[in-house]
Amino acid sequence: MDNGETPPLPTVEDVLNFKPLLPLTSLLPPMATDQLGQDSQFGSDIDWISLLSGSFKIGDQNPSPPTAARDGENVGKNKKKGGRAKNAMPPRIAFHTRSVDDILDDGYRWRKYGQKAVKNSVHQRSYYRCTQHTCNVKKQIQRLSKDSSIVVTTYEGMHNHPSEKVMESLSPLLRQLQFLSRI
DNA sequence: CGTTTTTGACCGGCGC
DNA sequence: GCGCCGGTCAAAAACG
């Protein structure tokens, strides 16, 4: 598609209209300490997730676990498994975003693997998969036919690795926090 | 040249 | 069984 371009930053209106159904921290992967490098001191002393979510307290080693509220409002179509609960399907999280751009930069890299026209919608639905091999997170993007200015992004599954983009931008801050926490 | 997109084929579930 | 529908595969094209 139009991937060569850097996705435009969200406008103020985009931010105001951005209503996640879950706390953003629930989208972060569990901190993989072994991926931060052997020489890194990250991960062992500080619960970065709770720190970033604002629930971190000094000396609190046991913050409230992110009891992932499972389903969003629009996931009603999951009733397919009427009697056959074969495998618990991964949780789905949907975001409604008012944006001119279909592709929202969430920090992860995605590979498109399909596109289909859905019934009762003029627009098509695109299917993406996380490019990390060990991570089978999927997401689908479709634009509301009623209000074409709204993009629905549905995530399925949780990343088992950190976003290199987020890590890159957060690394200096994390180092600083690590340094300060040692005092 | 490696990676990503495109796009029709393919497949499985479900209702009739 | 058949056809619709949503999701995925995969080969070829496009891209940088």
Side-chain angles (χ1 to χ4, degrees):
Chain A
M1 298 247 185
D2 57 343
N3 60 351
E5 330 239 347
T6 62
L9 292 173
T11 65
V12 176
E13 191 190 33
D14 289 338
V15 175
L16 290 179
N17 283 290
F18 186 71
K19 27 188 163 183
L21 303 178
L22 283 177
L24 287 178
T25 51
S26 64
L27 291 181
L28 292 175
M31 187 61 65
T33 56
D34 47 8
Q35 291 195 12
L36 290 173
Q38 290 75 7
D39 58 343
S40 172
Q41 282 83 27
F42 291 163
S44 56
D45 298 324
I46 294 184
D47 184 351
W48 295 104
I49 299 295
S50 58
L51 173 65
L52 294 174
S53 69
S55 64
F56 181 83
K57 297 189 192 65
I58 305 242
D60 184 5
Q61 297 297 73
N62 216 353
S64 58
T67 51
R70 274 289 141 45
D71 294 332
E73 57 184 4
N74 65 333
V75 207
K77 297 301 189 286
N78 285 7
K79 302 301 185 288
K80 300 181 156 234
K81 307 300 185 282
R84 181 179 316 107
K86 176 190 241 185
N87 244 339
M89 65 186 330
R92 283 190 173 183
I93 304 156
F95 297 86
H96 286 215
T97 309
R98 184 179 302 275
S99 166
V100 194
D101 230 344
D102 282 25
I103 313 295
L104 279 59
D105 186 6
D106 50 15
Y108 289 91
R109 295 185 53 232
W110 302 91
R111 186 183 76 257
K112 187 175 186 175
Y113 69 90
Q115 173 170 325
K116 266 286 209 182
V118 290
K119 223 187 167 184
N120 298 330
S121 178
V122 205
H123 311 282
Q124 297 202 299
R125 177 181 298 167
S126 299
Y127 302 89
Y128 295 84
R129 202 192 304 271
C130 185
T131 53
Q132 195 81 18
H133 292 77
T134 63
C135 181
N136 61 339
V137 173
K138 288 174 277 191
K139 75 169 176 181
Q140 37 184 266
I141 294 178
Q142 87 183 110
R143 195 171 278 276
L144 248 52
S145 60
K146 191 59 199 296
D147 188 351
S148 293
S149 63
I150 291 196
V151 174
V152 183
T153 305
T154 305
Y155 291 87
E156 176 178 319
M158 301 267 291
H159 293 281
N160 56 16
H161 61 98
S163 158
E164 72 281 358
K165 218 174 230 178
V166 171
M167 278 301 139
E168 184 180 341
S169 59
L170 243 47
S171 195
L173 176 60
L174 294 182
R175 275 178 216 286
Q176 180 77 2
L177 289 171
Q178 175 73 27
F179 172 75
L180 292 175
S181 71
R182 209 176 291 172
I183 299 176

